[in-house]
Amino acid sequence: GENVEQHPSTLSVQEGDSAVIKCTYSDSASNYFPWYKQELGKRPQLIIDIRSNVGEKKDQRIAVTLNKTAKHFSLHITETQPEDSAVYFCAARGNRDDKIIFGKGTRLHILP
Amino acid sequence: ETGVTQSPTHLIKTRGQQVTLRCSSQSGHNTVSWYQQALGQGPQFIFQYYREEENGRGNFPPRFSGLQFPNYSSELNVNALELDDSALYLCASRPPEANYGYTFGSGTRLTVV
């Protein structure tokens, strides 16, 4: 079945440095890849997304890259700040239905 | 406030009981999905409704069922509750023109004892 793998499960980064989270997906027909940020006790919030016809997208300090051939996509956060500490989920949407499959999440700690 | 609200926020039920969780989406959000998020895990897709009909389902047993209403609200019903059903239940909705972007509600924390 469809599967999304996410690495690492935990990531600690010094404030100001960059953080990278990587995901792979199994369904080659997937065409939409959102990233969600979830703070403790709160709902997942969409922070950036990318569609299969685009290789890279950037929004201020956040960027996402997509390699369709390798079925990889990554989240890059530059100049990390304390408020970036949260759990980040990657996800993939198949082309056959509207189902969005999530990775297991990465807990990002920004160290002072 | 995102415009997608869920009720109740917290709920405690006994094993074997039935529960109904509710989601109210923004006007025009005719697609709604329900997810189960166990502690420390990513959201797991339960099912999706489009224009009041189920049009996709994840690996959940039939005791998980749902309804969507014309007023853009929806329900998740779970029968014969099991301890493993304890989780955060999230609904997510989107309008037809935003082909990909879902907005999540704040969730219902269900505890089965």
Side-chain angles (χ1 to χ4, degrees):
Chain A
E2 298 142 327
N3 191 40
V4 175
E5 298 285 341
Q6 183 171 349
H7 300 279
S9 56
T10 306
L11 179 61
S12 294
V13 173
Q14 207 71 37
E15 182 179 349
D17 288 351
S18 296
V20 180
I21 301 170
K22 297 182 179 182
C23 290
T24 60
Y25 60 97
S26 61
D27 183 1
S28 57
S30 295
N31 59 9
Y32 171 66
F33 306 91
W35 286 86
Y36 286 86
K37 175 183 180 182
Q38 188 174 30
E39 298 177 10
L40 190 63
K42 297 189 176 180
R43 75 190 79 195
Q45 290 194 307
L46 180 69
I47 56 172
I48 195 168
D49 55 16
I50 191 168
R51 295 177 184 137
S52 58
N53 58 347
V54 176
E56 184 173 354
K57 182 177 177 180
K58 188 174 182 180
D59 183 4
Q60 299 182 341
R61 297 186 297 109
I62 294 174
V64 59
T65 58
L66 171 64
N67 182 329
K68 283 183 61 180
T69 304
K71 292 190 281 187
H72 289 175
F73 58 116
S74 300
L75 177 72
H76 305 252
I77 306 174
T78 58
E79 302 172 16
T80 53
Q81 300 170 2
E83 54 265 35
D84 294 331
S85 293
V87 178
Y88 291 80
F89 293 98
C90 62
R93 173 189 179 276
N95 195 34
R96 286 180 294 276
D97 56 35
D98 222 5
K99 182 167 59 175
I100 293 183
I101 304 299
F102 283 79
K104 292 190 175 181
T106 296
R107 184 170 297 280
L108 176 62
H109 300 274
I110 306 301
L111 307 173
Chain B
E1 183 58 49
T2 66
V4 181
T5 57
Q6 291 187 244
S7 62
T9 55
H10 296 84
L11 196 56
I12 299 175
K13 287 287 190 177
T14 303
R15 189 172 50 182
Q17 284 188 312
Q18 179 268 342
V19 69
T20 297
L21 310 181
R22 293 180 172 84
C23 175
S24 178
S25 300
Q26 286 179 268
S27 178
H29 281 211
N30 56 9
T31 300
V32 64
S33 297
W34 284 88
Y35 288 83
Q36 179 195 68
Q37 187 176 22
L39 201 61
Q41 300 293 317
Q44 298 291 313
F45 177 78
I46 302 174
F47 47 56
Q48 178 170 280
Y49 279 78
Y50 173 67
R51 291 185 176 179
E52 302 162 47
E53 292 198 5
E54 185 181 300
N55 72 341
R57 191 175 184 91
N59 295 325
F60 281 81
R63 59 189 185 85
F64 286 77
S65 63
L67 287 171
Q68 186 186 27
F69 302 101
N71 65 353
Y72 307 108
S73 66
S74 62
E75 291 180 353
L76 165 64
N77 299 288
V78 188
N79 293 324
L81 283 166
E82 301 176 0
L83 297 179
D84 285 348
D85 295 333
S86 295
L88 178 68
Y89 288 85
L90 296 159
C91 74
S93 69
R94 64 169 177 81
E97 64 270 16
N99 197 25
Y100 303 111
Y102 278 90
T103 300
F104 278 89
S106 53
T108 294
R109 172 76 59 190
L110 172 65
T111 302
V112 182
V113 298

